[in-house]
């Protein structure tokens, strides 16, 4: 009888335990015209002051949680828009990968939903992450060839990423408030 009870408990735990599900990173079509035009403007401005962005870099959009600094007005959404030329690596944590992606003005746009990440724990499938790394490849700087690497072993080992990466200290924040014109805050350094 004791063994039957233990077997019954084992089966109940196996039935109730749900394995973690791997999610896919999907391409989406944005419908928010204010967000689309703000991203498009960001791309044009960045290309104007940095011609390298014509060939290298993609856009990142973080959907931020609501904040409390504006208590009198209802904030619908906050978007934080930046650009990047960093490659996504195979061993990167899932938080490095976006929830969605799309294209605006022929630029790849990676969309991160921080609200989802605060509420749910999930992982992306290896297939999905591999696909995204492949999609970002055309928007990254060229890889350094082995012949261009330093001859000195210490210097060679120091270089972990064999690709030039570019940093721009620039972002745009888009805040959408109920019943008012959206606020666009630009921060160009």
């Amino acid at each position: 009888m004791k063994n039957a009870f233990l077997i019954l408990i084992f089966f109940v735990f196996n039935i109730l335990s749900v394995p973690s599900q791997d999610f896919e990173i999907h391409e989406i079509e944005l419908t928010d015209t204010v967000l689309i035009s703000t991203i498009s403007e960001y791309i044009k401005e960045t290309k104007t002051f940095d011609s390298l962005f014509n060939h290298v870099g993609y856009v990142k959009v973080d959907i931020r949680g609501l904040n409390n600094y504006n208590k009198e007005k209802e904030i619908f959404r906050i978007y934080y828009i930046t650009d990047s030329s960093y490659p996504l690596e195979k061993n990167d944590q899932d938080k490095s990968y976006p929830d969605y992606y799309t294209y605006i003005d022929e630029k790849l746009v990676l969309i991160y939903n921080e609200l989802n990440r605060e509420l749910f724990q999930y992982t992306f499938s290896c297939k999905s992450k591999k696909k995204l790394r492949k999609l970002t490849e055309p928007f990254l700087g060229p890889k350094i060839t082995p012949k261009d690497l330093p001859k000195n072993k210490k210097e060679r080992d120091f270089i972990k990423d064999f690709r030039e990466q570019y940093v721009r200290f620039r972002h745009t924040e888009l805040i959408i408030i109920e019943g008012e014109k959206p606020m666009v805050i630009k921060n160009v350094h």
Side-chain angles (χ1 to χ4, degrees):
M1 190 62 142
K2 186 177 182 181
N3 286 340
F5 180 70
L6 290 175
I7 291 172
L8 180 63
I9 290 176
F10 176 75
F11 282 118
V12 169
F13 277 112
N14 278 339
I15 290 171
L16 294 178
S17 65
V18 178
S20 67
Q21 185 178 4
D22 288 343
F23 288 97
E24 299 298 314
I25 302 168
H26 293 286
E27 181 173 9
I28 60 167
E29 185 174 329
L30 290 176
T31 57
D32 186 333
T33 56
V34 174
L35 178 59
I36 294 168
S37 65
T38 304
I39 294 170
S40 182
E41 185 179 323
Y42 180 90
I43 291 169
K44 289 174 188 148
E45 286 176 0
T46 306
K47 285 180 176 181
T48 300
F49 83 83
D50 187 352
S51 62
L52 187 62
F53 193 63
N54 287 308
H55 311 289
V56 177
Y58 54 88
V59 175
K60 292 174 64 176
V61 176
D62 292 309
I63 303 171
R64 296 284 171 100
L66 301 182
N67 58 21
N68 294 324
Y69 71 80
N70 196 355
K71 292 185 187 280
E72 315 83 53
K73 299 178 183 177
E74 178 98 20
I75 296 178
F76 281 167
R77 293 177 297 278
I78 299 174
Y79 301 104
Y80 190 76
I81 303 165
T82 58
D83 58 86
S84 179
S85 65
Y86 291 107
L88 294 169
E89 301 292 341
K90 183 177 183 178
N91 296 327
D92 283 348
Q93 294 179 356
D94 279 11
K95 67 181 180 182
S96 299
Y97 286 87
D99 297 282
Y100 313 101
Y101 69 92
T102 190
Y103 293 90
I104 295 178
D105 297 341
E106 299 178 12
K107 276 288 187 190
L108 178 65
V109 178
L110 305 182
I111 302 169
Y112 295 80
N113 188 344
E114 290 186 13
L115 296 174
N116 280 352
R117 292 168 194 246
E118 288 176 8
L119 296 174
F120 309 108
Q121 283 190 333
Y122 52 88
T123 58
F124 294 116
S125 71
C126 292
K127 179 182 170 187
S128 189
K129 291 196 274 189
K130 182 177 180 180
K131 176 184 173 186
L132 198 66
R133 287 192 302 273
K134 197 173 194 177
L135 289 173
T136 59
E137 188 64 35
F139 299 95
L140 303 176
K143 290 184 178 180
I144 297 173
T145 60
K147 67 178 176 123
D148 294 331
L149 291 174
K151 302 287 185 230
N152 181 321
K153 184 176 177 356
K154 284 185 180 180
E155 290 177 19
R156 252 185 128 98
D157 290 343
F158 179 73
I159 301 173
K160 294 176 183 165
D161 191 343
F162 302 104
R163 176 188 305 274
E164 279 190 71
Q165 299 172 2
Y166 304 93
V167 177
R168 290 175 202 86
F169 296 101
R170 176 175 201 277
H171 75 273
T172 293
E173 195 166 351
L174 171 63
I175 301 173
I176 305 207
I177 300 175
E178 181 180 21
E180 293 189 22
K181 188 175 176 183
M183 287 192 291
V184 178
I185 302 167
K186 296 181 182 182
N187 183 6
V188 181
H189 296 277

